[in-house]
Structures are given as C-alpha cells and as structure tokens.
Amino acid sequence: MSKLFYKAMIEDVQNNKCSEVEVENLLNFYEYAVKRMATTVARKSWFELRDFWNTKKNRINHFSLMIERVDILGQDQWWGTFEYNNKSLKVKATLEKN
C-alpha cells in the first residue's frame, strides 16, 4: 500500500506566535508534505509554501517548511519546522496505515 494512503499522526506540536487558524492550516499542509516525502528516499527537504497552489487561500503562503525524516528505534518520524518572521511551528509526526 502506498504511503500516500497512510494517515499522518501528529505526535508533538510546539507553537510560537502562530494563530489557531494558522496552526490548523499548517498542520493540514504538514500531513500532505509528510505523505509526499514518505514516498521518496529524501531525508531532508525545504519548501517555500508560496510554491503550492492552495496555501495562499489558507493564508500560510508566507511560511517556509524544513522537514526531516528521522529513524527513532526503527520507526520513521518526520520532524518539521514552519517559519515566518518571528513565528514558528515545530511538528513531529509518524505515518500509520488507515
């Protein structure tokens, strides 16, 4: 089964000055990014959210995302950091089968 059909499980979130709406939209984007990265061999990626069509509508297009795949005791975790000016959101997630 392709990891595109897995569900991203958010394990930890550390919010620094992001609004609740931004956090919700960033977490939705994070699930999308984790699923896409899981299908590649990449270990670390960096994105400008303005490059994605739906981020402007969700008002998160000014953020950047750095995401890294980390092996913790044989399980892949994805650690990501969204940043914009003095705002940041750090997220840790895993993927689970639906």
Side-chain angles (χ1 to χ4, degrees):
M1 176 188 243
S2 171
K3 292 196 177 186
L4 290 173
F5 299 108
Y6 283 32
K7 178 161 178 54
M9 302 299 293
I10 304 299
E11 304 291 334
D12 187 33
V13 175
Q14 295 176 357
N15 181 9
N16 181 29
K17 300 182 182 175
C18 294
S19 71
E20 288 184 32
V21 172
E22 287 174 326
V23 170
E24 181 179 346
N25 289 330
L26 290 169
L27 290 177
N28 287 337
F29 183 84
Y30 194 70
E31 181 174 358
Y32 166 85
V34 166
K35 287 179 180 182
R36 296 311 179 269
M37 190 173 166
T39 63
T40 71
V41 295
R43 289 275 170 201
K44 189 180 275 191
S45 295
W46 181 75
F47 304 98
E48 286 287 342
L49 272 58
R50 67 175 171 244
D51 295 336
F52 295 86
W53 66 272
N54 61 340
T55 58
K56 186 171 185 176
K57 177 185 80 167
N58 294 330
R59 298 185 181 148
I60 57 172
N61 59 316
H62 43 274
F63 282 88
S64 63
L65 168 63
M66 194 286 296
I67 186 169
E68 182 175 4
R69 184 189 320 224
V70 179
D71 185 327
I72 304 291
L73 300 173
Q75 180 184 30
D76 282 338
Q77 289 187 357
W78 284 264
W79 296 3
T81 302
F82 292 95
E83 292 182 330
Y84 171 66
N85 286 342
N86 63 344
K87 297 180 178 185
S88 69
L89 184 73
K90 294 183 179 187
V91 186
K92 291 182 183 177
T94 57
L95 284 178
E96 294 184 7
K97 290 182 182 179
N98 277 339

